[in-house]
């Protein structure tokens, strides 16, 4: 892979990130309920691998 092709691949990743759906609001509400606090302002990490679908 050329350096130009590698550089252009980052643009594709940004396009994917901009277009992928976010988590359903019902899921976020359940997490807030479980944690007993709002997620707003919290620092969280999405460490799961795969297609971003909650199991």
């Amino acid at each position: 892979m050329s350096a130009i092709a590698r550089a252009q691949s980052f643009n594709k990743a940004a396009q994917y990130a901009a277009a992928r759906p976010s988590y359903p609001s019902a899921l976020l509400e359940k997490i807030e309920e479980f944690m007993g606090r709002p997620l707003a302002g919290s620092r969280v990490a999405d460490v799961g691998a795969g297609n971003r679908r909650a199991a």
Side-chain angles (χ1 to χ4, degrees):
M1 178 182 280
S2 71
I4 292 173
R6 276 194 305 273
Q8 290 173 337
S9 71
F10 286 100
N11 187 36
K12 290 178 183 172
Q15 290 172 347
Y16 169 77
R20 73 181 182 184
S22 63
Y23 290 109
S25 59
L27 174 63
L28 300 177
E29 290 167 6
K30 286 291 184 186
I31 293 170
E32 289 179 331
E33 182 181 321
F34 176 78
M35 297 302 294
R37 58 179 280 179
L39 290 173
S42 298
R43 294 176 69 184
V44 298
D46 177 359
V47 296
N51 60 9
R52 297 191 78 228
R53 292 187 184 177

